[in-house]
Amino acid sequence: MKKDIPFETEAHSLAGRAAMDLFPEEDLNALASRLIPLYNPERFDAAALRLYLQKGEQIITLYAVDKFKQEQSNYPKDKLPVKKFKIRIPPREFLRYVKRFDLTLTNDAYDIQDMLVINR
C-alpha cells in the first residue's frame, strides 16, 4: 500500500496522516455494499475512502475502480477509471462500522519524527 496518500493541504491549517480499521468480517467493498444502494462489487472494487466534516455535516466519498471500464481502451494506460460515490451519513452511524480510527495532524512547524515525548 502506498504510504504517502496526499491530503488536500492548501485549504487547511493542519494536515497529516490517518489510519482506520474495519471489523474483521468487513472490508471496504462490503462496507460500500452496506452504505451505497445498488453498489455492485462485481463491477466495482472499492479503493479509497475520504471523510469530510464541515458545519456538522459529514460527507464520505468512496472511490471505486470500475472493473468494466478498466477493460476498455479509451483510458490512459497509467490511469484507473474510478467512480466516485458520495455518502451522506451521520458520524455516529458511520462509526458503527469502524473498529479503530487514528488521525494525527500537524501545523508543520516541527517534524513529528524529531519529537521526544517526555511526560510518560
Side-chain angles (χ1 to χ4, degrees):
M1 176 193 268
K2 190 174 180 179
K3 295 288 183 191
D4 292 321
I5 298 171
F7 280 86
E8 293 180 24
T9 59
E10 294 299 316
H12 303 295
S13 57
L14 300 173
R17 293 179 181 238
M20 185 172 80
D21 293 314
L22 302 173
F23 290 100
E25 65 277 358
E26 199 83 83
D27 65 14
L28 201 48
N29 256 341
L31 181 61
S33 295
R34 288 178 186 254
L35 298 177
I36 301 168
L38 303 176
Y39 180 85
N40 181 356
E42 297 294 319
R43 177 174 181 173
F44 297 108
D45 190 18
L49 190 70
R50 179 175 185 241
L51 280 76
Y52 180 79
L53 285 164
Q54 181 174 323
K55 296 181 182 175
E57 182 182 14
Q58 172 178 276
I59 300 171
I60 296 173
T61 306
L62 179 104
Y63 299 89
V65 174
D66 188 330
K67 296 186 278 190
F68 293 172
K69 301 252 184 210
Q70 190 176 13
E71 296 170 2
Q72 297 174 356
S73 60
N74 58 334
Y75 295 98
K77 292 191 184 305
D78 62 338
K79 299 292 180 186
L80 293 170
V82 172
K83 179 155 175 70
K84 179 167 80 169
F85 297 92
K86 293 245 181 193
I87 306 163
R88 295 182 188 276
I89 183 173
R92 274 203 141 111
E93 186 178 334
F94 176 71
L95 289 174
R96 291 187 355 222
Y97 301 102
V98 176
K99 179 179 179 182
R100 186 174 29 240
F101 182 73
D102 186 8
L103 173 68
T104 303
L105 302 172
T106 178
N107 63 4
D108 258 353
Y110 303 96
D111 188 343
I112 290 178
Q113 301 298 328
D114 295 336
M115 292 183 182
L116 174 65
V117 179
I118 58 174
N119 64 330
R120 289 187 186 192

